[in-house]
Amino acid sequence: MDSNDTRGLVVLAVDDEQPALEEMAFLLEDDPRIATVLTAGESTEALRILNGRRAGAPAGGPPAPGPDVASQTDIDAVFLDIRMPGLDGLELARVLQNMAVQPAIVFVTAHDDRAVDAYDVGAIDYLLKPLRTERLSAALDRILASRRSGVAEPVREESGGGDDEVIPVELAGTTKLVPRSAVRYVEAQGDYARLHTTEGSHLVRIPLSVLEDRWRDAGFVRIHRSFLVALPLVTELRLAGSGYVVRIGSGPETAELPVSRRHTRELKDRLVRATKQAWSQR
């Protein structure tokens, strides 16, 4: 563990609405794990503060000139609103992604429709207003856990199969993080997608076609205009009536889904390739 992990957190709160900024700062200051709370009323001011808090620079020195953000800062986390005039929260987060050592990013917003965008820019959490103490505490838990694990920046969603992507799901004001590895299959519901796991299902504001592109290399395959399945969980492909069906899983948790004619060939090919690859690794 780095020696810096023994000190309290230094955080920056950013919101263009003064009452919301004051409330966020008050709640942050009330947490004993936080040593210093800095505040900014908009993104440009936040960048000036970040430039002025360059890691290793003398404390209390003047802000560094210019719009570029410091490559490294002693600020551990930035709590910011999304919808702000000028440079909004998402755009500020994209600027912070260019830092060699990026502070953890936590969005605090009244809008629940930007969660996927937020995690695309590396957010470690997504909190809905009015801000609740228990949700703020959970976000700080995540920040401290990432510091203890030695991760220099929050885990980001990436397309492809390298890392286990995390999908933010909103339910009654709470953001639940569902790992992609827990998803058995995905069902299209208009412009939304329903993620089916062994524990239940979750509706997310993202089209099935987008998940198909993002998760192709992670072992997910389209079997129907309405279904995307995790290939390793397919236990059976069989002809039933006028078309094929697949079985996902086994036992009481089994799901049986239709396979459209146009997707049957690709599914068969990928099942064969997956089987050959598994045998070749033995």
Side-chain angles (χ1 to χ4, degrees), residues 43-57:
S43 293
T44 303
E45 182 183 359
L47 288 173
R48 285 199 296 268
I49 292 172
L50 286 159
N51 281 330
R53 303 280 304 201
R54 296 177 186 273

Side-chain angles (χ1 to χ4, degrees), residues 109-150:
T109 176
H111 307 280
D112 64 357
D113 59 348
R114 306 302 297 276
V116 173
D117 294 331
Y119 284 87
D120 274 338
V121 295
I124 202 167
D125 213 336
Y126 187 94
L127 311 181
L128 291 178
K129 297 177 181 178
L131 189 58
R132 305 199 313 273
T133 303
E134 59 270 23
R135 284 293 290 121
L136 180 62
S137 179
L140 291 169
D141 288 342
R142 291 175 58 79
I143 292 167
L144 289 168
S146 71
R147 284 160 55 93
R148 285 192 297 270
S149 66

Side-chain angles (χ1 to χ4, degrees), residues 179-192:
R180 182 182 57 206
S181 59
V183 178
R184 304 167 70 220
Y185 65 95
V186 187
E187 180 181 3
Q189 294 191 347
D191 292 334
Y192 291 71

Side-chain angles (χ1 to χ4, degrees), residues 97-112:
Q97 283 184 305
N98 295 321
M99 299 178 69
V101 179
Q102 176 187 335
I105 299 170
V106 177
F107 286 104
V108 183
T109 176
H111 307 280
D112 64 357

